[in-house]
Amino acid sequence: MDEEGDGYRWEGNYEKTWELIQETDGGLVDTTTTNAKREKRRLIQQRLSNVKLGVMRHVFLVLDQSVNMEDNDLKPSRFICLKRLSEQFILEFYDQNPISQIGVIVVKNGKGQKISELSSNINKHIANIKAQKACEGQFSLYNGLEIAFKTLSSMPSYASREIVIVAGSLTSVDPHPINDMLTQLAESNIRVSVIGLSAAVQIFSRVSAATGGTYNVMLDEQHLQELLRLQCAPPAATPTMEPSLVKMGFPPHVTEGPLSLCQCHVDDKSKAELTTHGFTCPTCASKYCEVPVECKICSLTLVCAPHLARSYHHLFPLAQFTETPTEELIDDSMVCGGCTKTFGNQKHVYRCETCNSYFCYTCDIFVHDMLHHCPGCESRPR
Amino acid sequence: MGDSVGDLLVLVIDLHPVWWADHSLTGVVQSSLVLSNAHLLQNPLNKLCVYGYMNTGVYKLYPTEEDLVAGESTAGKYEGFDVVNTTILMRLKDIMLECRDPEEHKQLDGSLLSGALIQALCHCNVMSKNLAIGNILNSRILVLKGSPDSRSQYMAIMNSIFAAQKNKVAIDSCVLGEDSTFLQQASEITGGTYMRVQDHGKLAQYMLGVFLMGVEFRKSFNTPPASKVDFRAACQCHSKMTDLGFVCSVCMSVYCGFRPICMTCNAHFKLPTALLKGKKVTGKRKLENGKS
């Protein structure tokens, strides 16, 4: 019952889903009319525009590792499936928010355990999540939140602070009343979003409502993946977030020179290697193999210009194209402004309001998902 | 793994009339045709697409809707080459005749590289979507660029680079004029090869030697070394490259010094803590170091 007005599933009419499937000229299944694709389009449309966003994010991913995660409604088991999806989530998250930081907490035996510190080291997070094996004991909402809260409350106020909980349990073993924790979270502007794996739980919906987050219950694996992906887009900024100028270093990439150790692997003797290439911090000249990273010596955030550019599409989203039935097109020989193919037997075309070019379904999705710029507008002199 | 479906090569050629006024376009077009034919010769399933761009628009030179039909009806492969070559030359001639208005072509800027890249990526995307399930089409884009970069396209070009990276489309760059920071970043990020060719007479050799082979084969050969890419940011206030900057937490604008109000989003910044309470900051930094 996620869409308003749709009512419960059992109240709806019998759906003949097979009648929606059509064949293309080549004999492949024409997927443009299936519900899943329409759903995707709708998701894109929901994106906010003209809203101040919290692009620099600090996010704690809290994973339930209680016995309830051993259920096998997700294959092969909930936890193994979740491990795989969280890896995808972390990759997608850093792709969209490269200067943000993630930390990972697991909750088992009623205790929270921080398995990965708040940082931008993708490989470390993924390795740490992969290393988690057995599911034990009970889930504790309070303990999970408390650990995340302790770290997040000391984060700078210009960055958005978030907690994303994925919980398969319907119960929670808490040492203290959760209400105190809720007030603390709300006061520190920490946004808690919960994704449920089994059924809707009142306390989860209360936590997310009180902190301005979202609460969703997954339907199947694909839906869970989609819900996690929704968490990748930066949320709207809270009014208490103070804008600030953050000092950042843009380290030059050194490819030749004397052999030296990098700061990222210097502690780990097995991986420490003498190399000639790397990025050197502009203030203290210590070397790192990868950016973005926070300099260990002078605490300067080191980034590259492309990292900043990756966030631009959230700030300047492309306006939606208007759906028009193909019959209304005046000229039959009209071609798609993206792939320059004729529209053929497609039912709908999509028009950019700025340059009045028409686009086919595939290009419309591609343009809004990946390119974030209209091919028609960009191919015209300004 | 699916069956082999060949490679897709998308050629993007800069046709800016002002730039070509001082250079010979014929040689470059001929070299491009040599590369196109050689690419099609390697594998009968290989696909080709050619775009041209200038300051007034982006043009698809090949394939156009009409000659797709003509190409199918000719049986021999050599006639196939002929279709490619004549279509490209005919289209080029049409475009060149169109752009004779001296008012429109006064300055050497505003080449629509971003539009051309975006359309090329749309083409790659549609081609890979039309395949049978399990088949993967290896696509790459080769940009032949003469005229200089125009800064206003920065965002569009960066976004297309990221889209190319996600779709595993490599962007090769063959720069005929000044070095281009846009294309250096594009090739570095997408795993393509960047090369600057000063002697245009030898262009065909360079193209066949470097850009004919697919990206996966280049590891086994001595391809041009990765150029030194400048990943520094240009500041909003003076457009100067800076290696230590201040970034607005709201809109990600870069400034080379502290300023109270952001030029882009009008955000009002609070004074840096270092100015307000110098000693406490050092204490906090130590604490953070200890944790990390």
Side-chain angles (χ1 to χ4, degrees):
Chain A
M1 205 191 62
D2 50 352
E3 273 174 85
E4 273 184 33
D6 264 17
Y8 290 98
R9 293 285 287 181
W10 57 86
E11 287 173 343
N13 288 327
Y14 195 73
E15 286 173 24
K16 296 178 181 170
T17 43
W18 56 92
E19 284 181 2
L20 288 169
I21 298 170
Q22 286 174 352
E23 265 186 29
T24 58
D25 298 337
L28 299 170
V29 175
D30 180 10
T31 43
T32 54
T33 43
T34 54
N35 279 341
K37 289 274 178 157
R38 296 256 156 230
E39 189 67 13
K40 195 167 183 196
R41 208 183 139 68
R42 212 175 52 84
L43 275 180
I44 298 171
Q45 276 168 345
Q46 277 177 352
R47 266 178 216 167
L48 312 161
S49 62
N50 243 341
V51 175
K52 210 162 150 189
L53 299 173
V55 189
M56 293 188 189
R57 307 169 68 185
H58 290 106
V59 181
F60 261 110
L61 185 64
V62 180
L63 302 177
D64 182 358
Q65 204 181 353
S66 63
V67 281
N68 298 310
M69 294 301 282
E70 277 175 352
D71 282 8
N72 49 8
D73 51 354
L74 295 174
K75 302 293 172 213
S77 86
R78 277 184 186 174
F79 193 68
I80 294 172
C81 179
L82 180 61
K83 279 206 291 193
R84 199 179 63 234
L85 292 180
S86 353
E87 277 174 45
Q88 286 176 14
F89 167 72
I90 288 174
L91 289 175
E92 172 94 17
F93 181 88
Y94 280 115
D95 187 63
Q96 295 202 24
N97 314 279
I99 46 172
S100 303
Q101 300 192 335
I102 285 192
V104 187
I105 294 171
V106 291
V107 185
K108 58 180 172 183
N109 285 329
K111 277 184 242 157
Q113 187 195 350
K114 197 189 285 176
I115 57 166
S116 214
E117 279 286 351
L118 212 54
S119 77
S120 45
N121 191 336
I122 306 175
N123 299 334
K124 210 169 168 185
H125 292 320
I126 291 181
N128 286 341
I129 291 181
K130 266 193 185 154
Q132 297 303 311
K133 292 270 149 52
C135 300
E136 293 161 2
Q138 297 292 314
F139 177 68
S140 168
L141 180 63
Y142 187 94
N143 287 339
L145 287 175
E146 193 187 26
I147 292 181
F149 172 75
K150 271 185 190 156
T151 317
L152 284 178
S153 54
S154 64
M155 286 298 139
S157 61
Y158 56 80
S160 75
R161 310 155 174 183
E162 294 161 65
I163 303 174
V164 177
I165 303 179
V166 187
S169 306
L170 296 172
T171 50
S172 167
V173 184
D174 295 344
H176 302 287
I178 194 91
N179 286 341
D180 305 347
M181 178 50 78
L182 278 190
T183 5
Q184 278 183 324
L185 287 170
E187 272 169 12
S188 328
N189 282 310
I190 299 177
R191 186 176 181 268
V192 185
S193 297
V194 189
I195 298 172
L197 300 189
S198 22
V201 179
Q202 202 257 347
I203 186 63
F204 290 156
S205 71
R206 248 185 67 205
V207 171
S208 53
T211 55
T214 55
Y215 178 47
N216 296 93
V217 177
M218 64 125 202
L219 301 170
D220 51 22
E221 189 181 326
Q222 208 181 1
H223 189 223
L224 178 60
Q225 195 178 1
E226 200 60 50
L227 289 175
L228 280 170
R229 190 175 296 149
L230 282 181
Q231 297 294 337
C232 290
T238 50
T240 43
M241 254 164 70
E242 287 167 336
S244 166
L245 274 182
V246 189
K247 199 173 177 187
M248 283 188 190
F250 298 94
H253 190 205
V254 189
T255 45
E256 49 199 25
L259 285 168
S260 55
L261 279 172
C262 65
Q263 285 293 329
C264 19
H265 293 120
V266 78
D267 298 332
D268 188 353
K269 278 195 183 125
S270 58
K271 281 179 190 159
E273 256 181 60
L274 287 165
T275 51
T276 54
H277 58 86
F279 295 88
T280 49
C281 172
T283 43
C284 66
S286 45
K287 194 174 83 167
Y288 295 90
C289 328
E290 276 175 352
V291 282
V293 73
E294 190 183 343
C295 180
K296 283 182 186 172
I297 310 297
C298 60
S299 335
L300 183 72
T301 314
L302 304 177
V303 293
C304 282
H307 291 126
L308 297 180
R310 272 176 201 267
S311 304
Y312 287 163
H313 74 263
H314 293 303
L315 303 165
F316 308 99
L318 177 63
Q320 273 305 309
F321 294 165
T322 330
E323 196 176 71
T324 331
T326 314
E327 293 97 59
E328 283 178 25
L329 286 186
I330 312 142
D331 189 0
D332 273 348
S333 62
M334 213 162 203
V335 290
C336 166
C339 59
T340 57
K341 294 209 161 54
T342 46
F343 293 117
N345 57 357
Q346 292 195 33
K347 281 186 190 134
H348 291 99
V349 290
Y350 302 87
R351 182 169 59 94
C352 168
E353 295 290 337
T354 323
C355 64
N356 281 326
S357 310
Y358 288 91
F359 297 95
C360 65
Y361 182 81
T362 322
C363 284
D364 175 46
I365 290 286
F366 182 64
V367 163
H368 282 97
D369 259 11
M370 297 262 188
L371 287 171
H372 311 289
H373 287 271
C374 166
C377 301
E378 287 298 328
S379 309
R380 246 153 248 241
R382 266 162 263 203
Chain B
M1 232 190 96
D3 307 328
S4 167
V5 284
D7 288 0
L8 168 66
L9 172 70
V10 185
L11 263 176
V12 177
I13 306 173
D14 186 353
L15 298 175
H16 200 304
V18 182
W19 197 82
W20 286 112
D22 303 331
H23 301 82
S24 153
L25 178 63
T26 339
V28 173
V29 169
Q30 266 163 4
S31 313
S32 320
L33 290 181
V34 169
L35 177 71
S36 315
N37 292 351
H39 172 72
L40 293 173
L41 184 70
Q42 281 183 325
N43 183 341
L45 293 168
N46 274 359
K47 291 163 193 77
L48 174 78
C49 179
V50 185
Y51 283 96
Y53 71 94
M54 56 171 85
N55 50 344
T56 47
V58 177
Y59 308 91
K60 197 175 197 177
L61 308 179
Y62 178 86
T64 46
E65 284 295 328
E66 303 92 61
D67 61 47
L68 268 183
V69 186
E72 274 164 10
S73 64
T74 29
K77 210 56 220 171
Y78 288 104
E79 287 165 39
F81 285 170
D82 194 47
V83 171
V84 175
N85 296 353
T86 38
T87 321
I88 294 175
L89 291 175
M90 291 260 288
R91 286 280 293 149
L92 269 177
K93 207 187 270 173
D94 291 347
I95 294 161
M96 289 297 154
L97 288 175
E98 262 175 44
C99 66
R100 281 190 300 187
D101 183 7
E103 281 304 302
E104 273 186 356
H105 305 285
K106 270 185 176 163
Q107 280 168 342
L108 186 59
D109 62 349
S111 250
L112 295 163
L113 173 64
S114 57
L117 271 182
I118 286 177
Q119 288 201 18
L121 285 166
C122 280
H123 184 84
C124 294
N125 176 53
V126 168
M127 292 296 276
S128 60
K129 286 276 152 66
N130 287 345
L131 298 174
I133 294 160
N135 288 343
I136 297 161
L137 180 71
N138 290 322
S139 320
R140 61 182 197 273
I141 298 175
L142 169 60
V143 186
L144 277 170
K145 187 167 180 295
S147 56
D149 292 338
S150 61
R151 286 214 62 83
S152 60
Q153 295 172 5
Y154 178 73
M155 211 155 66
I157 289 182
M158 286 319 277
N159 276 331
S160 24
I161 293 172
F162 300 139
Q165 187 193 19
K166 270 193 206 165
N167 281 13
K168 299 197 172 66
V169 177
I171 301 180
D172 291 327
S173 331
C174 184
V175 177
L176 307 170
E178 291 296 303
D179 266 327
S180 149
T181 41
F182 284 165
L183 288 180
Q184 279 177 336
Q185 299 194 33
S187 298
E188 169 77 25
I189 293 173
T190 59
T193 306
Y194 174 90
M195 195 170 69
R196 186 173 165 210
V197 178
Q198 274 159 320
D199 184 356
H200 296 188
K202 297 204 173 104
L203 189 63
Q205 283 185 43
Y206 278 117
M207 297 243 253
L208 291 181
V210 180
F211 297 115
L212 182 59
M213 53 184 156
V215 177
E216 68 268 36
F217 299 110
R218 291 184 199 165
K219 286 180 212 127
S220 335
F221 294 87
N222 267 338
T223 46
S227 56
K228 216 173 170 213
V229 191
D230 197 350
F231 277 132
R232 290 179 306 164
C235 69
Q236 200 97 355
C237 36
H238 309 90
S239 298
K240 261 193 260 164
M241 294 309 249
T242 167
D243 54 6
L244 199 62
F246 290 87
V247 179
C248 168
S249 68
V250 180
C251 66
M252 304 276 132
S253 310
V254 182
Y255 299 101
C256 55
F258 183 80
R259 53 174 52 235
I261 298 173
C262 176
M263 279 160 72
T264 318
C265 65
N266 281 331
H268 293 241
F269 304 123
K270 57 175 187 181
L271 280 172
T273 34
L275 288 181
L276 294 174
K277 34 180 182 178
K279 277 185 181 172
K280 278 185 186 169
V281 174
T282 42
K284 198 184 160 196
R285 279 199 180 151
K286 264 181 201 159
L287 197 97
E288 277 172 5
N289 278 343
K291 264 197 269 177
S292 61

